Amino acid sequence: MELLKIMAVLIMVESGGDKDAIGDDGLAFGILQMHQAYVQDAAQWARMDWKHSDAFDPSKAEDMFLAYMGRYAKQQKKPKGMSYAEFVSRIHNGGPRGYMKTATDSYWGKVHKIIASQTN
């Protein structure tokens, strides 16, 4: 599954596409429910001047997501036996090493359920 398709599913899981969504007790913003550290990390990697509030702009949020994944979710880093969709999803939810955290299991379950429903 390609990265843009994975991102579309993550948007469904995170916010249902609501660009004004705020979650995690006010700490996560926009369609992809990004935390400040995620935005800062993506901005550093992309050499952009993104601020946390930029996560409310869907276009900027998508660019931030792509930058973050460009840094952490390269195909060659994916563990053998794990799908790329799972790898990306768990990193998005749990940070650079999120694919190794059991805390991201239930998140992946939500994402996988949507992916499976789209392929059936």
Side-chain angles (χ1 to χ4, degrees), residues 3-84:
L3 192 55
L4 293 177
K5 288 182 181 178
I6 298 167
M7 180 176 62
V9 174
L10 297 181
I11 290 169
M12 291 171 62
V13 169
E14 292 287 359
S15 68
D18 180 0
K19 68 179 183 64
D20 298 319
I22 298 175
D24 286 350
D25 295 321
L27 299 175
F29 296 175
I31 60 171
L32 283 158
Q33 291 295 282
M34 293 175 167
H35 284 250
Q36 185 170 348
Y38 189 115
V39 173
Q40 288 173 333
D41 201 343
Q44 179 188 25
W45 179 255
R47 296 190 170 131
M48 298 295 290
D49 188 28
W50 292 318
K51 296 170 207 58
H52 191 204
S53 60
D54 289 331
F56 288 116
D57 178 327
S59 179
K60 288 181 181 178
E62 290 172 0
D63 288 344
M64 289 181 231
F65 171 82
L66 293 172
Y68 194 83
M69 292 308 152
R71 184 173 196 170
Y72 296 115
K74 296 186 171 145
Q75 281 274 16
Q76 66 270 22
K77 293 182 179 182
K78 180 183 73 59
K80 190 173 185 173
M82 181 179 282
S83 73
Y84 188 56

Side-chain angles (χ1 to χ4, degrees), residues 8 21 91-92 100 113:
I91 289 172
H92 175 72
M100 296 186 290
K113 185 176 180 178

